[in-house]
Amino acid sequence: MHPAFSVVFFTTATGAGYGLLALLGVLGGLGFIRPDLWLGLVGIALALGLIVVGLLSSTGHLGRPERAWRAFSQWRSSWLSREGVASAATFIPAGLFGIGWVFFGRSGGWVEVAGLLTSAGAITTVGTTGMIYASLKPVAQWHSPYTLPAYLIFAGMTGGVLLNALLQGFAMDSTAVLTGALLATLAGWALKLATWRYNDRLKIPTTANTATGLAGGTVRSIEWPHTEENYLLKEMGFRIARKHSAKLRRITQALAFAVPAILLVIALVSPRPVAAIASVLAAICQLVGMLVERWLFFAEAKHTVTLYYGR
């Protein structure tokens, strides 16, 4: 019984990939980052690579992966379907932007339009991913005002730190990008602390009594509804000890926020070789920390269905 690593990796990789793609589309299309063949190739390949690998990993979570294409047909009512549609649609302007910015070495004009559409598509896709969880009323920890902003801020944060590492590595460093990545990391840290505070104080009014409408005592199940573990218990009924949760929260704060912030400050005040090394280490550290943060996001959530199992 544990959160599926395929989903943990999916949300981490695609968030960083779409964050990087959105920033490249805006800054490259508008000319704030000058066209460069190798920077463009590595940057767009890294962004699209993270997205594709993340999407492929998510299919491992499906019981029948060969039917995944059917999810696209439910876009009118399903956030999961909307995520798939937005994700696929984003590849079209991203391809056009890549051709113009990387191979033609152009910005502005139609390349700018393609870049802005790429950024809009990336932001929309991350937003639909966040809404998959924010819309689930039975999971109180997700159905909160913090879930959607967290997905958007974390995507911008990880994407910004990755972009800064790329610019530093190709000697095209930008103080504005570095400062933005640092501020986004601090904003993500503050939002994560606020989310934990909200969840720790969360009072869930639903009990076995309110669910059954029975009063005059404490309702409890004599036996489970079935003899084996089911999907909801495996994915949304995971029980993590409070001491382990506290430890993992400290690890998350250190790896995803504190250490990257320190490394970015070092990059900000250091000459290029040191700044480049610090920037790359910040990106690697933050991605590892976000894997821990996403695991906690799923592990600490509880589905209301667990009431029927005496939890």
Side-chain angles (χ1 to χ4, degrees):
M1 292 174 57
H2 56 81
F5 181 75
S6 60
V7 178
V8 172
F9 182 79
F10 160 72
T11 55
T12 303
T14 55
Y18 279 118
L20 176 58
L21 188 63
L23 291 172
L24 286 173
V26 171
L27 299 179
L30 294 176
F32 290 106
I33 300 177
R34 70 176 187 270
D36 180 84
L37 177 61
W38 290 109
L39 171 66
L41 282 176
V42 174
I44 293 180
L46 178 60
L48 296 180
L50 286 169
I51 293 168
V52 171
V53 171
L55 291 172
L56 290 176
S57 74
S58 68
T59 62
H61 190 63
L62 301 176
R64 299 295 295 272
E66 70 276 7
R67 297 180 180 177
W69 63 271
R70 295 186 179 181
F72 287 85
S73 65
Q74 307 301 314
W75 59 269
R76 293 181 181 84
S77 58
S78 168
W79 283 108
L80 178 62
S81 182
R82 292 165 187 163
E83 177 196 43
V85 172
S87 176
T90 302
F91 278 85
I92 299 174
L96 294 174
F97 168 72
I99 292 172
W101 190 60
V102 177
F103 295 107
F104 291 168
R106 296 180 55 183
S107 58
W110 66 271
V111 177
E112 176 183 338
V113 174
L116 293 176
L117 289 175
T118 298
S119 181
I123 294 171
T124 300
T125 304
V126 174
T128 56
T129 304
M131 283 304 300
I132 292 174
Y133 303 100
S135 64
L136 295 178
K137 294 182 180 179
V139 185
Q141 291 84 356
W142 294 347
H143 189 65
S144 81
Y146 293 96
T147 299
L148 178 58
Y151 266 85
L152 294 171
I153 289 177
F154 290 159
M157 176 187 76
T158 51
V161 174
L162 281 173
L163 177 59
N164 173 65
L166 286 171
L167 293 177
Q168 293 283 354
F170 284 93
M172 298 176 61
D173 47 293
S174 166
T175 302
V177 172
L178 176 51
T179 303
L182 175 59
L183 293 176
T185 298
L186 295 176
W189 193 356
L191 181 63
K192 189 73 257 185
L193 291 174
T195 303
W196 283 334
R197 189 179 305 112
Y198 175 87
N199 288 341
D200 290 343
R201 297 176 179 177
L202 192 62
K203 301 296 182 182
I204 302 176
T206 305
T207 64
N209 288 68
T210 60
T212 58
L214 300 175
T218 300
V219 176
R220 62 184 180 87
S221 299
I222 298 177
E223 59 182 14
W224 282 23
H226 45 76
T227 58
E228 296 181 356
E229 294 283 356
N230 64 6
Y231 167 81
L232 286 174
L233 283 181
K234 290 179 180 179
E235 304 298 333
M236 299 183 185
F238 181 72
R239 289 177 288 186
I240 180 172
R242 183 173 297 180
K243 64 178 182 178
H244 296 318
S245 178
K247 180 180 180 180
L248 289 173
R249 286 185 179 189
R250 290 193 295 269
I251 292 174
T252 296
Q253 291 189 71
L255 293 180
F257 307 111
V259 174
I262 293 171
L263 289 170
L264 290 174
V265 171
I266 293 173
L268 193 60
V269 299
S270 302
R272 208 196 73 78
V274 176
I277 294 172
S279 296
V280 172
L281 290 176
I284 295 172
C285 183
Q286 188 168 82
L287 288 175
V288 173
M290 288 306 298
L291 285 172
V292 180
E293 187 279 331
R294 288 292 87 184
W295 191 91
L296 267 178
F297 174 77
F298 290 100
E300 293 184 322
K302 295 293 180 290
H303 197 287
T304 308
V305 75
T306 57
L307 289 172
Y308 292 97
Y309 301 90
R311 299 184 184 177

